[in-house]
């Protein structure tokens, strides 16, 4: 197989907008898989790297919530075959101490496999007329009509499902739902406070409903998101911007404090309110990426006296080979209606999609390569 032309949204240093352009993609090497992308979610992490705040090579193709159909496989690939429908998640090595016990989200090789913009040998699968284009973002770079990815990135799903909607299971949905279902292991009948009603927060709400939490409190300033949170299972929604004393308002609902809290905002005052709302023996999970130097919420004596804990959570502690099929089964049972979170755009409309996600006009933008037909 030869290199081929495909379309991608390419980020350039110092440019606010992505450029939609033609790039060349190499054929898959022995351990690689060529996927024809059908949909890809936009996650905040894509935009953090695009901003240049974290060192990364440019020009670059981002995108790490892809889904699509396997178009070709390398000689050493056995996990999938051509035509299989796959969700593409983060990349893990599968061999380190943490991967070998299923803690793949904490893979000891996470950074070089996901965040250096090239293969481990320094080459890139993507180029344009000028030269090399950084690829391999989260082992996928799926803001494109085709991508090269790896066995540990992919989870096969039922071909009868609307594949273009399932990319977010690979990051934001598994992060929110997994935080509640796996990291916090919220108990049936328990209470949980979820700060933030974006795609991660609302996935956490769906996860809490699946766990049959009795009290699900959501903090979210946008009214539309609070309404959707209620429809997805929240029992109480609070606009944090209209409260003078957020903790008292939460304690009116759960006088002894919540059994668990999850912050998706990384805002210091919100994390502090989450901490102060914890009941005895309760855990605060943190999934938002706080700027360097952000202080820890709470103080040590409050932590000790109540047996409380704070846990940072990556990708919902997901082991994707187990957890993504579990999430798909919940979708099929009507308990994880991801389509309620999603608005689709053409890949070439990426800049509008980002603007809408930032303004709150859309909760989770999913980009569909221009050659494909969106279903929602
Ligand atoms: C990322 C967040 C930063 C650490 C690696 C995983 N997850 C979602 O985008
Ligand atoms: Zn992400």
């Amino acid at each position: 197989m030869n290199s081929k032309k495909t379309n991608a949204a390419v980020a350039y240093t110092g440019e606010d907008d992505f450029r939609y352009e033609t790039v060349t993609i190499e054929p898959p090497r022995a351990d690689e898989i060529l996927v024809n992308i059908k949909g890809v979610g936009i996650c905040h992490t894509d935009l953090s790297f695009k901003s240049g705040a974290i060192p990364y090579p440019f020009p670059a193709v981002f995108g790490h919530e892809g889904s699509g159909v396997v178009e070709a496989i390398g000689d050493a690939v056995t996990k999938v075959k051509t035509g299989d429908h796959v969700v593409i998640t983060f990349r893990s090595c599968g061999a380190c101490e943490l991967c070998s016990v299923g803690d793949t989200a904490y893979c000891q090789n996470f950074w070089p496999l996901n965040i250096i913009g090239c293969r481990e040998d320094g080459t890139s699968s993507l180029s344009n007329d000028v030269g090399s284009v950084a690829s391999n973002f989260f082992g996928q770079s799926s803001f494109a009509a085709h991508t090269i990815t790896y066995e540990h990135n992919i989870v096969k799903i039922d071909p009868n499902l609307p594949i273009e909607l399932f990319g977010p299971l690979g990051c934001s949905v598994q992060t929110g739902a997994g935080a509640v279902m796996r990291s916090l292991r919220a108990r049936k009948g328990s209470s949980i406070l979820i700060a933030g009603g974006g795609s991660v927060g609302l996935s956490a709400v769906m996860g809490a409903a699946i766990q049959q939490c009795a009290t699900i409190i959501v903090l979210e300033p946008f009214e539309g998101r609070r309404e959707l949170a209620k429809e997805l299972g929240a029992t109480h929604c609070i606009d944090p911007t209209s409260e003078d004393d957020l903790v008292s308002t939460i304690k009116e609902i759960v006088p002894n404090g919540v059994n668990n809290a999850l912050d998706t905002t990384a805002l210091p005052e919100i994390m502090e309110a989450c901490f102060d709302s914890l009941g005895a023996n309760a855990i605060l999970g943190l999934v938002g990426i706080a700027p360097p130097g952000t202080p820890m919420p709470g103080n040590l004596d409050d932590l000790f006296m109540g047996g409380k804990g704070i846990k940072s959570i990556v990708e919902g502690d997901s082991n994707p080979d187990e957890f993504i099929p579990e999430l798909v089964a919940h979708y099929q049972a009507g308990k994880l209606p991801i389509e309620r979170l999603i608005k689709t755009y053409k890949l070439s409309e990426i800049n509008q999609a980002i603007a809408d996600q930032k303004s709150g006009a859309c909760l989770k933008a999913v980009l569909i390569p221009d050659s494909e037909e969106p279903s929602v």
Side-chain angles (χ1 to χ4, degrees):
M1 190 182 168
N2 297 320
S3 292
K4 62 187 275 175
K5 300 279 185 198
T6 193
N7 294 319
V10 184
Y12 286 80
T13 311
E15 292 187 13
D16 285 342
D17 282 355
F18 285 85
R19 291 192 215 166
Y20 179 68
E21 58 185 34
T22 302
V23 295
T24 301
I25 188 164
E26 291 181 356
R29 292 184 178 179
D31 62 339
E32 294 180 340
I33 300 160
L34 177 69
V35 176
N36 181 1
I37 293 290
K38 299 291 181 187
V40 52
I42 299 174
C43 170
H44 192 254
T45 304
D46 297 307
L47 308 181
S48 300
F49 277 87
K50 181 190 166 284
S51 75
I54 306 158
Y56 197 82
F58 286 88
V61 175
F62 295 105
H64 65 284
E65 293 190 346
S67 59
V69 178
V70 174
E71 190 167 302
I73 56 172
D75 292 343
V77 171
T78 56
K79 190 175 181 182
V80 286
K81 59 181 187 323
T82 302
D84 283 346
H85 288 207
V86 292
V87 170
I88 316 176
T89 186
F90 61 90
R91 190 174 177 201
S92 56
C93 75
C96 70
E97 188 189 338
L98 285 136
C99 282
S100 59
V101 293
D103 284 336
T104 52
Y106 304 99
C107 171
Q108 289 169 327
N109 297 300
F110 194 94
W111 199 267
L113 292 179
N114 289 276
I115 314 223
I116 59 171
C118 59
R119 298 186 180 99
E120 292 147 280
D121 68 2
T123 61
S124 175
S125 57
L126 296 175
S127 56
N128 63 12
D129 293 344
V130 180
S132 180
V133 173
S135 64
N136 228 14
F137 187 62
F138 281 69
Q140 52 179 298
S141 288
S142 44
F143 287 166
H146 290 86
T147 191
I148 292 283
T149 189
Y150 299 86
E151 286 189 317
H152 287 296
N153 281 97
I154 51 154
V155 178
K156 205 162 108 171
I157 66 166
D158 182 342
N160 296 312
L161 293 167
I163 183 65
E164 71 278 12
L165 303 183
F166 278 75
L169 263 61
C171 187
S172 46
V173 174
Q174 75 178 353
T175 297
V180 176
M181 297 167 69
R182 292 177 65 94
S183 319
L184 301 174
R185 298 188 184 282
R187 278 178 292 105
K188 180 177 177 181
S190 66
S191 56
I192 186 162
L193 170 65
I194 296 165
S199 59
V200 175
L202 293 189
S203 297
V205 169
M206 293 190 282
I210 289 168
Q211 295 296 100
Q212 300 178 53
C213 292
T215 307
I216 305 171
I217 306 167
V218 173
L219 308 181
E220 166 56 44
F222 285 118
E223 189 185 356
R225 292 181 178 190
R226 291 198 301 274
E227 278 166 14
L228 182 54
K230 280 260 173 84
E231 288 167 24
L232 295 174
T235 56
H236 303 76
C237 288
I238 300 168
D239 175 358
T241 62
S242 67
E243 293 293 328
D244 291 334
D245 186 349
L246 197 47
V247 177
S248 298
T249 306
I250 293 163
K251 293 268 178 92
E252 278 168 24
I253 303 165
V254 267
N256 292 326
V258 290
N259 299 126
N260 284 296
L262 177 70
D263 175 74
T264 71
T265 71
L267 298 171
E269 66 279 14
I270 296 290
M271 292 193 285
E272 197 69 33
C274 287
F275 181 84
D276 291 341
S277 302
L278 294 178
N281 207 19
I283 302 290
L284 165 59
L286 304 176
V287 298
I289 314 285
T294 305
M296 289 280 284
N299 56 53
L300 212 48
D301 53 313
D302 279 334
L303 204 65
F304 281 144
M305 291 310 288
K308 297 169 191 173
I310 298 177
K311 178 179 172 18
S312 83
I313 299 168
V314 174
E315 299 286 350
D317 287 355
S318 175
N319 178 353
D321 282 328
E322 283 174 9
F323 192 48
I324 288 180
E326 194 180 322
L327 292 175
V328 169
H330 287 305
Y331 168 87
Q332 288 170 315
K335 293 184 172 174
L336 194 79
I338 51 173
E339 73 284 358
R340 304 284 317 270
L341 312 185
I342 291 172
K343 183 169 178 207
T344 57
Y345 296 79
K346 288 180 183 173
L347 178 58
S348 59
E349 297 170 335
I350 183 169
N351 298 313
Q352 185 61 50
I354 292 167
D356 287 357
Q357 205 162 286
K358 278 186 182 156
S359 73
C362 133
L363 196 93
K364 168 60 73 179
V366 167
L367 307 170
I368 311 281
D370 291 47
S371 47
E372 308 291 338
E373 278 301 313
S375 67
V376 293

